[in-house]
Amino acid sequence: MVLAAMKEFSKPEYCADVLKMEFPVVASFVKGLKAAENRNNKNNHAYDIDEAKGYMKAMSDASKGTPFIFLSAGVDMDVFLEMLQLAGEAGCEYSGVLCGRATWKGAIDVYAKNGAMALEEWVKHEGCKNLEKLSIVLRKHATSIKHRYSRRQYIGNNNTQGDSAIRKMRRSKL
């Protein structure tokens, strides 16, 4: 489903500047990932590491140069980092992330049990550590959005399909 969405919405007629995407595999069903080891039924896997990497690479290839970012989808930070690492190792050219809960979801219990002061301490220590770890993975594996734009198939002066799609969308006020 994710690959089909990437293929569809990377088409020039959508004029997408950046796509925000889920991972094409579920971490807890990838044999060899920590997320799969933490699941109750550890023997039930849908993918091995190489298959998961294949889906990540296929997703990148399907984007046809349209930049995309990965959503954290509320998973734990360790799972999110592991998936970003896997995508990078697969040659998946993602351009960044959009993550909320992955960075701060650990703070909810801290606040509920110990109040605002404990929350501030959590943010100073654990919250900052989460962002630092994320930054390290992104610096290592994310692809510059400028690089992705330079490879888009429909950008340029001679592309009337992309230009006409933009004019059509402006006329329809979408």
Side-chain angles (χ1 to χ4, degrees), residues 10 29 37 39 41 47 57 73 75 81 87 92 107 133 143 157-158 164 173:
S10 293
F29 287 94
E37 300 305 315
R39 202 167 38 87
N41 187 354
Y47 322 94
K57 180 68 171 123
V75 300
L81 293 171
C92 179
K133 289 187 273 187
T143 301
N157 296 332
N158 297 328
S164 64
K173 296 182 182 177

Side-chain angles (χ1 to χ4, degrees), residues 69-137:
I69 59 175
F70 280 121
L71 302 169
S72 67
V75 300
D76 292 338
M77 180 55 83
D78 290 341
V79 173
F80 191 50
L81 293 171
E82 189 174 36
M83 291 296 284
L84 292 171
Q85 179 81 24
L86 184 70
E89 290 170 2
C92 179
E93 294 183 341
Y94 64 95
S95 294
V97 297
L98 183 61
C99 58
R101 285 173 287 176
T103 56
W104 55 257
K105 113 176 174 178
I108 301 298
D109 284 340
V110 171
Y111 178 71
K113 293 176 183 173
N114 302 310
M117 296 285 285
L119 174 63
E120 284 185 35
E121 286 302 308
W122 186 94
V123 169
K124 287 179 189 173
H125 300 287
E126 296 304 313
C128 287
K129 282 182 193 174
N130 284 343
L131 293 176
E132 288 169 5
K133 289 187 273 187
L134 185 60
S135 181
I136 289 167
V137 171

